[in-house]
Amino acid sequence: MAALVLFGGGGDLAMRMLLPSLYFLDHEGRLDDDLKIIGAARSDETRDEYVEKVRAACESKATPDGVWDDATWARMEARLDYLAIDATDPASLKPLKDKVGDGEVTSFLAVSPSLYSRIVKAMKAAGLAEANCRVVLEKPVGRDLESFLAIDDAVADAFDEDQVFRIDHYLGKETVQNLIALRFGNTVFEPLWNNLSIDHVQITVGETVGVGDRWPYYDEYGALRDMLQNHMLQLLCLVAMEPPSDLDPESVRNEKVKVLRSLRRITHEEAGRDTVRGQYVGGPFEGGEVKGYDEERGLDSDTETFVAIRADIDNWRWAGVPFFMRTGKRLPEKRTEIVIQFKPLPHSIFGSGDRGEIEANRMVIELQPEEDISLSVMNKKAGLDARMQLQPIKMSLTWGFRGKADTPPRRRIAYERLLLDALHGDSTLFVRRDEAEQAWKWVDEVSEAWTDGHVKPIEYAPGTWGPPEADYLLERTGRAWNTSEA
């Protein structure tokens, strides 16, 4: 018997993302017939009570997409089981070991990372870290390099590296995977993917929500550690990495590590110029009045809820091409995108004025609210004008997975791809230990530069794209954010 064990199986992540993802995979016939799904948590409830909670969670996700049906649920229900356990106690894990026997076990730790060390030690003692076992770790693992290594050393003591799957759900998104196909499957793009053709790259992760009740967690991490260290640096790696020799997991991850090792260190002398820290204040937003971060926390804080940063990759391909990243709470839109801004033509034969201004080509890779890849190119405006007139047009490059216009396909939960890969032992889209180490090292250097340079958060109003200094970060180089007009 193969088993997927969800530690924290009754928590928010499991109910909102993991179990609905498994339902959708079952609906498409992608789960092995003998796979058992075992929820494991502290709450003292029966299997039937747990199954009812899972049904409600899956039904709420599947019904709007039109893929709820009794046959799928019957299969899903038959797979489900529940055990009330203390995952940090080997004796408490014995009934779980008895239930899975000697079969292949994939354990997903959907619990606080502060418990990882104690849980993996208990798993090893209970026989749940054998050669046929895998463990999936949800981010963030640690809050800096030192704490990451402390946790990961405990993981490494229980599991070999090829058994460890450090998850970043952004890498499960269809558009992120399509970026790899776009870059390395087309001679149209790969020869242009360098400092000869690309002017700069932007990565934006904008959220409209505030921190709210999550402030105890957020106050420890801030925007830098919560978003940039994992999601945004992973996206940067996929944009910037060299072509891997093949799609073997180690080949892909080797190239990502090279990018992280090539990131130029930001010193405290440069921190005030190349980085921006921000914190939202209270004010009108989306038709109401919202609190500032300090008000939500109930105490003054120097935690950043917004960060913008210029990163430089010191290698031959990207020398001279700045990568601008920004992320924050209480921004005007929920938007995640990568912008590849190509260089302008060295000379235009079209002049300007009534012939139209030449705009440099731009590729926008959108991850949310929609998933799309669009390319802006110059095109002759239709008509019988005596003189050629130009206009920019956008071409969608992702129509192939969008389906018919009248029957749009279901938008997958990113965890679907990652759960399936973990169950099959494919680690391509997961983060290797040395990747995480290099990312934490660079982020720690930024944090230290802020401390040494006395860089404090700058206040920004809700519904804006962070402090004005974030715009200046690009404007002083003659550039502008893609969404600065919003």
Side-chain angles (χ1 to χ4, degrees):
M1 179 188 79
L4 173 62
V5 180
L6 302 179
F7 289 97
D12 179 70
L13 177 63
M15 290 295 171
R16 191 167 49 87
M17 293 291 179
L18 304 182
L19 289 158
S21 293
L22 292 164
Y23 170 88
F24 289 130
L25 292 172
D26 205 345
H27 181 73
E28 295 179 4
R30 297 183 183 274
L31 298 182
D32 292 344
D33 291 340
D34 67 342
L35 178 70
K36 297 297 181 182
I37 301 169
I38 303 172
R42 287 180 177 272
S43 69
D44 188 14
E45 58 187 327
T46 66
R47 175 191 177 274
D48 289 344
E49 290 170 335
Y50 180 70
V51 167
E52 281 307 305
K53 288 169 56 177
V54 174
R55 178 187 175 112
C58 294
E59 194 168 4
S60 67
K61 288 275 191 179
T63 300
D65 291 321
V67 291
W68 176 262
D69 66 69
D70 293 338
T72 300
W73 173 248
R75 290 196 305 273
M76 181 80 175
E77 183 179 14
R79 299 179 186 276
L80 288 169
D81 204 347
Y82 179 79
L83 286 176
I85 60 167
D86 176 0
T88 65
D89 179 4
S92 183
L93 291 178
K94 186 178 184 306
L96 177 60
K97 173 59 179 175
D98 293 341
K99 189 173 286 289
V100 300
D102 296 324
E104 185 178 275
V105 181
T106 301
S107 297
F108 194 120
L109 304 192
V111 298
S112 169
S114 62
L115 298 173
Y116 287 175
S117 298
R118 295 165 61 194
I119 290 176
V120 294
K121 288 177 183 177
M123 291 173 67
K124 181 179 181 181
L128 292 168
E130 303 301 314
N132 62 338
C133 298
R134 306 183 186 100
V135 65
V136 183
L137 306 179
E138 179 70 25
K139 74 96 181 174
V141 181
R143 71 171 303 276
D144 52 23
L145 180 59
E146 182 180 4
S147 57
F148 165 77
L149 292 176
I151 294 171
D152 215 64
D153 284 348
V155 175
D157 185 59
F159 294 90
D160 292 336
E161 177 62 26
D162 61 0
Q163 297 174 275
V164 181
F165 292 72
R166 301 172 192 86
I167 203 165
D168 187 326
H169 71 267
Y170 270 44
L171 300 186
K173 291 181 177 291
E174 188 77 42
T175 320
V176 172
Q177 296 166 59
N178 210 25
L179 171 61
I180 298 174
L182 193 74
R183 279 196 62 189
F184 303 126
N186 296 283
T187 56
V188 174
F189 296 113
E190 182 53 28
L192 304 178
W193 216 265
N194 54 49
N195 57 4
L196 300 178
S197 300
I198 293 177
D199 177 80
H200 71 279
V201 176
Q202 301 176 22
I203 302 175
T204 292
V205 180
E207 299 181 273
T208 58
V209 298
V211 175
D213 294 338
R214 293 180 65 238
W215 73 259
Y217 157 81
Y218 200 86
D219 211 55
E220 184 179 359
Y221 286 82
L224 179 70
R225 292 181 171 91
D226 182 50
M227 294 296 295
L228 194 139
Q229 183 274 334
N230 41 76
H231 299 327
M232 302 187 80
L233 286 183
Q234 283 295 314
L235 296 178
L236 180 145
C237 286
L238 291 177
V239 171
M241 71 181 187
E242 294 296 315
S245 56
D246 50 42
L247 285 180
D248 179 81
E250 295 311 303
S251 299
V252 173
R253 298 196 292 183
N254 286 342
E255 300 305 330
K256 289 162 65 182
V257 171
K258 290 178 185 176
V259 173
L260 293 169
R261 286 177 176 164
S262 299
L263 283 172
R264 185 184 304 168
R265 180 184 179 188
I266 294 176
T267 65
H268 71 271
E269 292 90 357
E270 299 158 338
R273 185 190 68 221
D274 291 340
T275 74
V276 179
R277 297 180 78 191
Q279 185 185 100
Y280 62 82
V281 296
F285 183 65
E286 295 184 338
E289 195 79 13
V290 297
K291 293 180 178 180
Y293 178 72
D294 283 352
E295 294 174 278
E296 292 174 332
R297 187 181 184 275
L299 196 66
D300 289 349
S301 170
D302 283 340
T303 299
E304 76 283 350
T305 62
F306 175 94
V307 60
I309 194 165
R310 170 178 172 156
D312 289 272
I313 300 172
D314 289 333
N315 62 23
W316 280 22
R317 181 182 290 264
W318 297 112
V321 178
F323 284 68
F324 297 101
M325 296 179 282
R326 65 174 173 175
T327 182
K329 305 284 189 183
R330 290 285 184 227
L331 301 187
E333 354 171 16
K334 182 178 176 65
R335 170 171 295 276
T336 301
E337 67 179 15
I338 304 167
V339 176
I340 311 296
Q341 179 63 63
F342 291 93
K343 290 184 175 180
L345 291 172
H347 172 71
S348 172
I349 64 173
F350 298 100
S352 59
D354 60 355
R355 293 193 181 186
E357 296 287 345
I358 294 288
E359 297 181 14
N361 301 136
R362 171 179 287 186
M363 180 181 293
V364 179
I365 302 158
E366 188 178 350
L367 280 71
Q368 62 182 19
E370 299 297 331
E371 294 193 52
D372 193 15
I373 301 178
S374 63
L375 179 65
S376 295
V377 299
M378 296 307 296
N379 171 63
K380 178 192 174 296
K381 184 181 290 185
L384 300 176
D385 301 279
R387 304 175 72 188
M388 184 176 290
Q389 291 183 308
L390 300 179
Q391 65 178 2
I393 62 169
K394 284 189 176 182
M395 302 185 299
S396 174
L397 303 176
T398 49
W399 61 269
F401 64 75
R402 284 185 169 272
K404 298 178 181 178
D406 57 341
T407 56
R410 177 181 64 84
R411 183 175 178 179
R412 288 191 182 278
I413 303 172
Y415 283 96
E416 293 176 45
R417 159 62 61 188
L418 299 173
L419 282 168
L420 196 61
D421 285 355
L423 289 169
H424 292 161
D426 184 344
S427 57
T428 306
L429 296 176
F430 295 83
V431 180
R432 202 168 61 190
R433 177 179 169 120
D434 54 347
E435 279 185 73
E437 283 187 42
Q438 289 297 322
W440 275 123
K441 180 181 178 182
W442 190 75
V443 164
D444 281 358
E445 289 171 348
V446 174
S447 181
E448 290 164 8
W450 283 348
T451 300
D452 295 342
H454 306 288
V455 178
K456 300 292 186 181
I458 304 165
E459 292 183 349
Y460 65 94
T464 64
W465 284 102
E469 285 79 358
D471 289 331
Y472 303 157
L473 183 66
L474 272 73
E475 287 175 2
R476 71 171 64 103
T477 69
R479 301 177 174 98
W481 291 106
N482 185 48
T483 50
S484 60
E485 72 279 0

